[in-house]
């Protein structure tokens, strides 16, 4: 149980384009999902907290207009990187927290390369 | 600022030995603690959660929590080369607050 999927697992795009990443909880409902970014050999950095049916809460320094988050259902959250630039290239990881629990379960991550 | 601190390592132990990973936290209100394992290039996977003072055992893993000292540890018995990874400690406050992650300790188990 507690499986989280992400799609796509890897994406290469041109600078200036937008990329959407999906995060799904497959066998549980998640009122809250989290989006992280991780650069090579660096620690996880929380970008935003996504709550079903409401606006996401962004961490300091994360541009909400650049990283659009939608959490339209209890099993799906999406992160859209708008007008991507090479510096946005990173490993994006989502996690989901089953309703009523404190434990987070991570998706497999999406590796984004912006050329 | 709520912080979770870990020694970045690397911590090297011989195969079959006990690996001891340590973590301290600054927020006395933290209630729940988690250990995740992250292999290079992969996302973190949950190893254990612990909520009460004392020890919690699961197979070769034992988590220890001391709220008075604000200290969490993870012991890995009979360490295997496949245990080589970065171990992330995380803590959260009450009321389903967001989890704060440490920067991770890299463990190397030498065959």
């Amino acid at each position: 149980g507690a499986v989280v999927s992400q799609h796509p697992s890897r994406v290469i795009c041109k600078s200036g384009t937008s990329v959407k990443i999906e995060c799904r909880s497959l066998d549980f409902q998640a009122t809250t999902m989290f989006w992280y970014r991780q650069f090579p050999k660096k620690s996880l950095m929380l970008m935003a907290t996504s709550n079903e049916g409401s606006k996401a809460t962004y961490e300091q320094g994360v541009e909400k207009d650049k990283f659009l988050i939608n959490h339209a259902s209890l099993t799906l959250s999406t992160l859209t990187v708008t007008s991507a630039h090479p510096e946005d290239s990173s490993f994006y990881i989502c996690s989901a927290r089953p309703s009523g629990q404190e434990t987070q379960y991570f998706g497999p991550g999406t590796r984004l390369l912006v050329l | 600022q709520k912080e979770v601190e870990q020694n970045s390592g690397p911590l090297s132990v011989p195969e079959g030995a006990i690996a001891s990973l340590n973590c301290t936290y600054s927020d006395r209100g933290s209630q729940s603690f988690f250990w995740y394992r992250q292999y290079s290039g992969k996302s973190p996977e949950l190893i254990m959660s612990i909520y009460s003072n004392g020890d919690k055992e699961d197979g070769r893993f034992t988590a220890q929590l001391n709220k008075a000292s604000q200290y969490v540890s993870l012991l890995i018995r009979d360490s295997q080369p496949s245990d080589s990874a970065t171990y992330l400690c995380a803590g959260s406050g009450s009321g389903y607050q967001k989890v704060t992650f440490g920067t991770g300790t890299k463990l190397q188990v030498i065959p």
Side-chain angles (χ1 to χ4, degrees):
Chain A
V3 178
V4 179
S5 71
Q6 268 184 258
H7 179 80
S9 58
R10 186 181 296 266
V11 58
I12 301 173
C13 69
K14 292 182 179 179
S15 186
T17 60
S18 294
V19 175
K20 180 186 280 190
I21 303 170
E22 291 187 350
C23 178
R24 292 181 186 273
S25 56
L26 298 184
D27 52 1
F28 63 95
Q29 293 185 332
T31 309
T32 306
M33 292 183 174
F34 303 89
W35 287 95
Y36 295 84
R37 181 166 57 181
Q38 189 174 36
F39 293 106
K41 300 188 187 300
K42 300 295 184 182
S43 59
L44 284 175
M45 188 194 83
L46 178 65
M47 299 175 66
T49 301
S50 169
N51 295 299
E52 186 266 338
S54 64
K55 291 183 178 180
T57 303
Y58 290 81
E59 294 300 301
Q60 193 171 8
V62 178
E63 300 174 59
K64 61 180 180 181
D65 294 331
K66 179 169 182 63
F67 298 100
L68 301 178
I69 291 172
N70 184 280
H71 192 158
S73 78
L74 287 172
T75 59
L76 173 64
S77 176
T78 60
L79 168 69
T80 301
V81 183
T82 63
S83 187
H85 288 95
E87 58 265 30
D88 297 324
S89 300
S90 189
F91 190 38
Y92 290 86
I93 313 172
C94 74
S95 70
R97 187 166 65 194
S99 301
Q101 294 185 28
E102 296 200 51
T103 305
Q104 291 182 38
Y105 298 93
F106 284 87
T110 296
R111 206 163 293 281
L112 171 64
L113 176 61
V114 185
L115 302 177
Chain B
Q1 182 167 342
K2 301 174 184 178
E3 291 184 350
V4 175
E5 307 249 354
Q6 295 181 256
N7 188 316
S8 62
L11 172 67
S12 294
V13 300
E15 183 174 356
I18 295 175
S20 177
L21 302 161
N22 305 313
C23 170
T24 58
Y25 60 94
S26 61
D27 181 14
R28 281 202 171 274
S30 295
Q31 300 288 324
S32 307
F33 300 89
F34 310 90
W35 282 100
Y36 290 84
R37 176 175 61 197
Q38 186 175 23
Y39 291 111
S40 181
K42 302 294 185 182
S43 67
E45 57 180 317
L46 180 70
I47 297 176
M48 291 186 71
S49 58
I50 186 166
Y51 307 100
S52 304
N53 276 328
D55 295 0
K56 180 180 178 182
E57 187 175 317
D58 183 0
R60 295 187 296 113
F61 300 97
T62 299
Q64 299 174 319
L65 173 59
N66 184 325
K67 291 187 178 181
S69 301
Q70 296 178 238
Y71 178 90
V72 191
S73 65
L74 180 70
L75 301 177
I76 306 175
R77 289 181 297 282
D78 188 24
S79 295
Q80 301 297 309
S82 58
D83 295 326
S84 297
T86 296
Y87 289 80
L88 302 171
C89 172
S92 70
S94 60
Y96 307 114
Q97 296 178 27
K98 68 182 182 186
V99 171
T100 301
F101 283 86
T103 54
T105 298
K106 186 173 183 178
L107 172 67
Q108 294 177 339
V109 180
I110 311 301

